[in-house]
Amino acid sequence: GIGGMESALKLGDMGYKVLLVEKEASVGGKMILLSKVFPTLDCASCISTPKMASTIHHPNIEAMTYGRVDQIRTAADGHPFGAYVAQPQGAPRGALVVVQEIFGVNSHIRSVCDGYAADGYLALAPALFDRIEPRVDLGYTPEDIERGRALKAKASLDHALADIEAARAAVASSGKVGMVGYCWGGYVAWMSASRLPGFACAVPYYGGGMLEASGERPRCPVLAHFGEQDSMIPVEGVRRFASAHPEAQVLIYPANH
């Protein structure tokens, strides 16, 4: 946004090298995109203030944009669903499918995608609740938790796996495709690793439901993370899960959910 660009300009004037990253949908992102299309255009003058244009062309500031919303169609049944996509700067080192919690593709999931994009990976988070309710973006209040649980109760694992497969296919041209998931998304990541081909690895975090799905056998390397103080996922069950799956790496931390 404007504040970020002003801060970048101040640091650049002080001699610091600055990497300015803007969401494409933001005002700053639109400035960056316009400046790439029209290098001599004072792009800020048509959006905000002329001063901001100097940020784009400052010798100490490198500007990039990433983050957009795409629509993907599931091959199995033609279902169209949304996905948040974070683009790396330059050629991707590979790709990641980021699987949501029960709160939809919210700010946390989008920030995870942005972080992996900053590390050089193409990251895509499919909106798995779009079959039930489009554009779910919840917070973490008690009301949000109740609504998220209700949405999860309506979600079908088969549909989720079909959408995950479509998401993997959408980024497959970027190289090896890994997967990371959180809470319900951790469970979906585990089931995807076990039932879907084509993933290079899967990293579930505190996957609710994984213990009950211990009979599954993953087709790719798995690195699973759990908290020993997690009241929703008993640590003794996690240890039994780890013993049943010596092929997976299961890490337990002194932490909660």
Side-chain angles (χ1 to χ4, degrees):
I2 302 301
M5 299 190 85
E6 288 178 338
S7 298
L9 188 59
K10 289 178 181 178
L11 290 170
D13 287 343
M14 294 168 62
Y16 291 97
K17 294 294 185 182
V18 180
L19 174 62
L20 175 66
V21 180
E22 289 278 2
K23 296 282 174 49
E24 182 176 327
S26 72
V27 171
K30 291 175 183 175
M31 293 179 193
I32 293 171
L33 291 176
L34 279 171
S35 72
K36 289 179 178 179
V37 177
F38 305 105
T40 62
L41 176 67
D42 183 355
C43 58
S45 66
C46 62
I47 302 177
S48 55
T49 64
K51 181 180 179 182
M52 292 300 101
S54 60
T55 306
I56 298 297
H57 305 296
H58 197 290
N60 288 335
I61 298 175
E62 181 180 356
M64 63 175 286
T65 61
Y66 60 79
R68 68 175 193 265
V69 176
D70 278 1
Q71 189 174 80
I72 299 171
R73 191 172 295 276
T74 303
D77 59 5
H79 164 66
F81 61 93
Y84 180 79
V85 182
Q87 297 276 0
Q89 186 178 28
R93 300 169 61 184
L96 283 168
V97 175
V98 180
V99 193
Q100 64 174 69
E101 301 169 293
I102 63 171
F103 308 104
V105 182
N106 63 0
S107 59
H108 167 239
I109 295 300
R110 296 193 300 272
S111 69
V112 169
C113 291
D114 293 345
Y116 282 119
D119 288 336
Y121 295 92
L122 174 63
L124 183 150
L128 299 183
F129 284 163
D130 268 11
R131 290 177 181 267
I132 305 161
E133 179 181 327
R135 296 179 295 279
V136 173
D137 181 350
L138 302 179
Y140 299 95
T141 66
E143 293 78 13
D144 289 328
I145 293 171
E146 182 178 356
R147 185 177 167 204
R149 286 174 174 167
L151 288 166
K152 187 195 76 152
K154 297 177 182 178
S156 157
L157 176 61
D158 288 342
H159 284 158
L161 294 181
D163 295 345
I164 292 293
E165 169 57 23
R168 186 202 64 77
V171 296
S173 61
S174 295
K176 291 183 178 180
V177 182
M179 176 173 35
V180 59
Y182 301 86
C183 194
W184 178 65
Y187 164 70
V188 173
W190 168 250
M191 299 302 290
S192 299
S194 301
R195 298 188 182 184
L196 299 178
F199 281 102
C201 63
V203 184
Y205 283 85
Y206 44 93
M210 285 179 61
L211 306 190
E212 292 75 16
S214 183
E216 300 286 333
R217 291 293 161 184
R219 304 183 182 192
C220 65
V222 172
L223 172 62
H225 303 268
F226 293 95
E228 65 180 352
Q229 296 156 17
D230 190 336
S231 61
M232 291 180 282
I233 306 176
V235 68
E236 289 306 317
V238 174
R239 294 193 175 102
R240 288 192 296 271
F241 178 91
S243 297
H245 290 282
E247 78 283 0
Q249 187 174 1
V250 179
L251 302 181
I252 302 175
Y253 303 87
N256 210 314
H257 191 73

